[in-house]
Amino acid sequence: MRGWRVHEITEDGAMVFGDCPDPRATGDGCVVKVAAAGVNFLDTLMIRGRYQVKPPLPFTPGIEVAGTVVEAGPDSRFRPGDRLCALMDHGGFADHAAVPALGAQKLPDDFPLREAVALPVIYPTAHLALRHRAGLKAGETVLVHAGAGGVGSAAIQLARHWGARVIATAGGPQKTALCRDLGADEIIDYAAEPLVERVKEITHGRGVDVIVDPVGGKVAVDSLRCLAWGGRLVIVGFAGGAVADLPSNRLLLKNAAAMGVYWGAYRQHRPELVGVLFDELFALRRTGAIVPLIRDVFPLAQAPAALEALAGRRTVGKVVLEP
């Protein structure tokens, strides 16, 4: 089969495209013919050896896929012909992928595979950030950073569905317009407007109840100044390239909390939530409450271009590779 392989860790994240060993189904896993593979910021880190998961070399990047089962292991709950989406440690940037049972979910017949690749990472992450970690309530105000990105676009839709007032940040007129289309009530163009001052203006000095931050760095530090008393900052990533050193005095003075969400770990620590969460997301898509934002679709052979565009903030929503 064709696929991308990382043979050595380099500063530029070099990958090689060509023939790869065919995966085999073992145990309760299965092999999927990949119809769509999701591209994530963590992929740019993993191929450079900067991510917490470091697969043995050589490896194929890609942690989420949607496709059709072509081979099932002897203990698998899936069968050839089943359509599923899956979260895995690596292996998605290829024609076929070995998928573990944990983190894989059978898809309803009416769920398009291209849209389904947005489910394994961004929607569960946004769901957990807003409901399970921050305990979002109807009527609260949510600030969503990078609202035109993957997690950001999902968080806008979910927060709006749950009755929150949504303020979204994005860079430039195209992305701010997308945030408006997704349902954000107020938009802040971080390329042209000061974050803290605009949040205070919009909230009449009160601040926001919940912040979803996939950016990190200075954005996370400035976010603490945007919190209302008792507010919650949820850290879901570091797409800005830097991990923030948060001043704890701001948390203390506002009786606030800073917390993290790493959805991948729920497969091990809270596996009972996985199926329940996906069932809810399927139902929300069926009613139109969520619609995955997918605009940037690249051929599998152009995976480096997709990663570069994502890292350069030239994409919106979920970035997808298709064979």
Side-chain angles (χ1 to χ4, degrees):
M1 70 169 185
R2 301 173 310 152
W4 287 95
R5 300 281 274 178
V6 175
H7 292 277
E8 61 178 333
I9 298 299
T10 61
E11 182 61 29
D12 61 353
M15 303 187 296
V16 177
F17 187 60
D19 292 335
C20 298
D22 291 324
R24 301 304 305 270
T26 60
D28 59 2
C30 61
V31 173
V32 169
K33 182 179 180 181
V34 178
V39 181
N40 293 278
F41 181 73
L42 68 82
D43 295 315
T44 69
L45 301 177
M46 186 180 290
I47 62 178
R48 291 171 172 80
R50 298 176 186 170
Y51 191 61
Q52 56 258 38
V53 177
K54 295 178 172 58
L57 297 169
F59 72 90
T60 295
I63 65 162
E64 58 182 343
V65 297
T68 304
V69 176
V70 294
E71 181 186 356
D75 303 320
S76 178
R77 68 180 188 275
F78 301 110
R79 295 292 178 265
D82 286 347
R83 301 162 70 254
L84 57 79
C85 63
L87 175 65
M88 50 205 190
D89 291 334
H90 57 88
F93 292 179
D95 289 330
H96 293 82
V99 171
L102 195 61
Q105 194 70 25
K106 187 175 179 180
L107 294 168
D109 293 338
D110 60 349
F111 210 114
L113 287 173
R114 179 183 282 187
E115 287 190 14
V117 81
L119 290 184
V121 173
I122 63 174
Y123 278 94
T125 297
H127 192 298
L128 290 168
L130 292 168
R131 295 300 289 268
H132 291 263
R133 299 294 282 142
L136 178 68
K137 302 176 183 66
E140 290 191 311
T141 300
V142 178
L143 174 62
V144 177
H145 288 306
V151 174
S153 62
I156 290 173
Q157 294 177 61
L158 288 170
R160 183 65 183 267
H161 172 71
W162 288 323
R165 181 191 187 199
V166 181
I167 304 169
T169 71
Q174 181 190 38
K175 291 187 176 182
T176 54
L178 276 171
C179 291
R180 183 81 66 185
D181 291 342
L182 289 166
D185 299 284
E186 302 283 349
I187 317 294
I188 299 174
D189 184 345
Y190 62 72
E193 301 176 277
L195 173 65
V196 178
E197 288 78 1
R198 281 291 289 130
V199 169
K200 289 182 178 179
E201 179 184 345
I202 292 169
T203 62
H204 304 289
R206 177 183 177 275
V208 299
D209 301 291
V210 175
I211 300 175
V212 178
D213 176 27
V215 180
K218 185 177 184 299
V219 169
V221 175
D222 288 345
S223 291
L224 293 184
R225 298 172 60 198
C226 299
L227 284 173
W229 193 89
R232 293 87 77 197
L233 168 64
V234 191
I235 299 163
V236 302
F238 309 104
V243 176
D245 291 324
L246 298 178
S248 55
N249 63 310
R250 293 194 179 275
L251 296 172
L252 184 150
L253 293 173
K254 291 188 175 183
N255 200 45
M259 60 195 77
V261 168
Y262 176 35
W263 160 236
Y266 275 74
R267 290 179 294 167
Q268 287 76 39
H269 297 285
R270 295 292 303 277
E272 74 281 0
L273 281 180
V274 175
V276 173
L277 196 151
F278 272 109
D279 286 343
E280 182 175 352
L281 292 174
F282 292 148
L284 291 173
R285 175 62 184 90
R286 194 169 289 115
T287 63
I290 62 172
V291 180
L293 174 59
I294 297 177
R295 186 199 68 178
D296 298 298
V297 180
F298 294 78
L300 176 63
Q302 294 180 16
L307 289 167
E308 182 181 357
L310 177 65
R313 300 184 183 181
R314 299 190 302 275
T315 62
V316 298
K318 169 53 65 178
V319 182
V320 176
L321 299 177
E322 292 184 341

